[in-house]
């Protein structure tokens, strides 16, 4: 635990001149800063400790309480208050002037940090993960890349997560597994077709998850789109299901979601219905759409796990494939319309696992352990 902060200047007696007193103050502050720097560096070193490999069955299991925060990440949380103290004393030492301090976060960033802690830019995510994959032997020649993200066009731009991964991994193409909401609606047949495209003795990498927009004003579930004057929803499929479940659609409109004409949305409504019970009777808010988005992640992961297990449990699967790596999380889109700053989207990583014939390895701590991701306690979600 961290000891309460004590001002090193308290108790100093003014027995010398003003210059001497100033010197004592600087000595005390320098000692305090040295202590904090040492503690900071020690924790950062621990944060980069390699992850452990658990020899388990290669069947992807549902986590009992979605534990994605490891020891390294907990250490990173300890580092946060220390960093805050260092930031507070630095101006006194002349290291940082108020004029050079970082500007306050935008409404978009403030609400993203609040509702999706641990989210990083697409480029930062792809850089970290691609480096880890290269260390594990992933190359352009032996890697089959698949994505299960929502089919919304804002997830398929030059700066999208998938595009970033293609550039950093050097893969020529991507197999699109995802439909509405990011669920892998290609099913068992589509997953089979994807797997049969893997190079001989090759490796598979899949990134998956739902998405949610945050407007320039910080509203979760809304986004500015290019060429449109009015605000738009994101994810439309998730929020559409939320409104249907909350009873905000008329009966005739709700009927259009039934049957084969809209089976993907119908599936989402059916699977979300009971999971959104805590939101019934509440007004739509940033918190409610965040809750919805996390439940959408559960739907995507459950379907993905089922489809992957259908093949990895077969004896002949590992004769052609040497490794499968899965990156799961939530895409956070930002607006790109007129008058909006734009910029990269973000991704909140919630899971990073590797499967081989020998079992399952958790790579989350190795790749994201230095970042104070609060995903597990924030989501409080359980797989069923």
């Amino acid at each position: 635990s961290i000891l309460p902060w004590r001002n090193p200047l308290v108790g100093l007696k003014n027995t010398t001149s003003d210059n001497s007193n100033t010197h004592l103050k600087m000595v005390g502050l320098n000692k305090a800063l040295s202590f904090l720097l040492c503690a900071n560096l020690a924790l950062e070193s621990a944060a980069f400790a390699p992850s452990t490999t658990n020899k388990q069955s290669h069947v992807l299991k549902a986590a009992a309480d979605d534990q994605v925060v490891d020891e390294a990440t907990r250490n990173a949380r300890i580092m946060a208050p220390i960093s805050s103290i260092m930031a507070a004393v630095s101006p006194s030492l002349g290291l940082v002037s108020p004029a050079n301090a970082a500007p306050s976060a935008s409404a978009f960033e403030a609400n993203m940090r609040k509702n999706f802690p641990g989210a990083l830019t697409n480029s930062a995510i792809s850089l970290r993960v691609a480096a880890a994959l290269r260390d594990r032997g992933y190359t352009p020649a032996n890697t089959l890349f698949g994505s299960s993200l929502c089919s919304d066009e804002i997830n398929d731009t030059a700066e999208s997560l998938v595009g970033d991964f293609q550039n950093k991994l050097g893969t020529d193409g991507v197999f699109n597994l995802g439909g509405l909401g990011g669920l892998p609606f290609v099913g068992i047949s589509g997953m089979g077709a994807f797997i049969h495209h893997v190079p001989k003795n090759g490796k598979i990498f899949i990134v998956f998850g739902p998405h949610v927009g945050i407007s320039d004003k910080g509203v979760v579930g809304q986004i500015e789109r290019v060429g449109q004057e009015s605000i738009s929803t994101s994810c439309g499929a998730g929020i559409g299901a939320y409104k249907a479940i909350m009873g905000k659609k008329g009966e005739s409109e709700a009927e259009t979601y039934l049957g084969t004409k809209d089976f993907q949305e119908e599936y989402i409504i059916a699977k979300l219905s009971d999971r959104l019970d805590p939101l019934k009777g509440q007004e739509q808010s940033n918190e409610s759409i965040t809750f919805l988005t996390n439940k959408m992640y559960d739907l995507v992961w459950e379907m993905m796990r089922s489809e992957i297990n259908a093949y990895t449990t077969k004896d002949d699967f590992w004769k052609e494939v040497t490794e499968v790596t899965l990156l799961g999380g939530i895409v956070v889109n930002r607006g790109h319309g007129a008058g909006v700053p734009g910029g990269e989207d973000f991704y909140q990583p919630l899971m990073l696992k590797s499967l081989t014939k020998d079992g399952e390895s958790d790579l989350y701590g190795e790749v994201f352990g230095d970042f104070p991701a609060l995903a597990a306690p924030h989501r409080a979600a359980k797989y069923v």
Side-chain angles (χ1 to χ4, degrees):
S1 60
I2 300 175
L3 294 176
W5 168 254
R6 295 184 62 187
N7 190 336
L9 303 181
V10 173
L12 289 178
K13 296 182 179 180
N14 188 16
T15 58
T16 59
S17 63
D18 291 341
N19 289 337
S20 178
N21 191 31
T22 301
H23 175 72
L24 286 173
K25 290 180 180 179
M26 292 302 296
V27 170
L29 283 171
N30 283 333
K31 287 182 177 179
L33 182 59
S34 297
F35 168 77
L36 292 172
L37 283 172
C38 290
N40 197 28
L41 289 172
L43 288 171
E44 283 181 343
S45 299
F48 282 98
S51 62
T52 57
T53 300
N54 296 323
K55 298 295 184 181
Q56 305 172 2
S57 166
H58 52 248
V59 177
L60 282 170
K61 297 181 179 179
D65 54 0
D66 192 29
Q67 289 296 326
V68 298
V69 177
D70 57 9
E71 182 178 358
T73 305
R74 288 194 292 273
N75 288 338
R77 293 182 189 171
I78 298 173
M79 196 164 61
I82 293 179
S83 299
S84 298
I85 295 171
M86 291 175 64
V89 301
S90 292
S92 301
L93 300 176
L95 300 178
V96 179
S97 66
N100 294 329
S104 60
S106 65
F108 164 84
E109 185 172 345
N111 281 282
M112 180 194 66
R113 299 299 180 201
K114 176 183 177 182
N115 294 286
F116 301 97
L120 297 171
T121 60
N122 286 344
S123 58
I125 291 288
S126 58
L127 185 65
R128 288 172 176 235
V129 175
L133 293 178
R134 283 193 295 271
D135 289 343
R136 301 181 72 84
Y138 282 74
T139 69
N142 71 4
T143 301
L144 179 64
F145 178 33
S147 75
S148 190
L149 304 176
C150 185
S151 46
D152 193 320
E153 78 281 354
I154 59 178
N155 296 318
D156 189 19
T157 67
E159 293 185 328
S160 69
L161 184 64
V162 170
D164 263 329
F165 270 123
Q166 283 184 273
N167 290 333
K168 290 182 175 64
L169 293 173
T171 56
D172 290 332
V174 56
F175 195 109
N176 295 306
L177 301 162
L180 292 182
L183 278 76
F185 279 116
V186 293
I188 298 294
S189 297
M191 183 63 70
F194 167 65
I195 288 172
H196 281 92
H197 295 172
V198 69
K200 186 175 181 180
N201 297 321
K203 297 173 180 287
I204 293 174
F205 171 57
I206 301 175
V207 56
F208 67 90
H211 74 122
V212 64
I214 300 181
S215 71
D216 192 48
K217 294 182 178 180
V219 180
V220 179
Q222 295 185 358
I223 196 171
E224 299 85 359
R225 295 179 185 264
V226 175
Q228 292 191 354
E229 295 181 359
S230 59
I231 206 77
S232 174
T233 57
S234 171
C235 169
I239 294 177
Y242 162 81
K243 290 182 177 180
I245 294 167
M246 296 298 112
K248 295 181 180 179
K249 285 183 175 293
E251 274 190 27
S252 59
E253 189 175 1
E255 284 294 322
T256 64
Y257 286 96
L258 302 178
T260 57
K261 290 184 178 180
D262 204 1
F263 73 92
Q264 291 189 14
E265 185 72 4
E266 179 187 352
Y267 179 91
I268 293 172
I269 292 173
K271 290 295 183 180
L272 279 179
S273 184
D274 293 340
R275 304 177 195 224
L276 297 188
D277 282 345
L279 301 181
K280 291 180 179 177
Q282 299 182 22
E283 291 296 320
Q284 181 174 328
S285 64
N286 283 358
E287 291 72 22
S288 65
I289 300 304
T290 299
F291 184 90
L292 162 70
T293 306
N294 279 279
K295 295 306 177 184
M296 286 290 292
Y297 173 82
D298 290 342
L299 295 188
V300 179
W301 168 229
E302 288 164 12
M303 184 179 284
M304 176 65 67
R305 186 180 69 240
S306 174
E307 293 175 8
I308 288 289
N309 283 346
Y311 291 94
T312 58
T313 52
K314 295 181 179 179
D315 293 336
D316 60 348
F317 176 82
W318 298 108
K319 294 179 181 179
E320 299 293 332
V321 180
T322 60
E323 185 175 17
V324 178
T325 300
L326 301 172
L327 171 64
I330 295 172
V331 176
V332 182
N333 305 119
R334 67 189 311 162
H336 289 82
V340 178
E344 285 191 83
D345 288 342
F346 285 71
Y347 186 79
Q348 182 193 32
L350 300 178
M351 185 197 75
L352 183 59
K353 291 182 182 292
S354 171
L355 290 176
T356 67
K357 63 180 180 180
D358 296 322
E360 177 182 321
S361 301
D362 186 1
L363 308 181
Y364 192 95
E366 175 187 335
V367 178
F368 302 112
D370 62 305
F371 203 83
L374 306 179
H378 176 76
R379 295 182 63 244
K382 292 187 177 180
Y383 300 140
V384 294

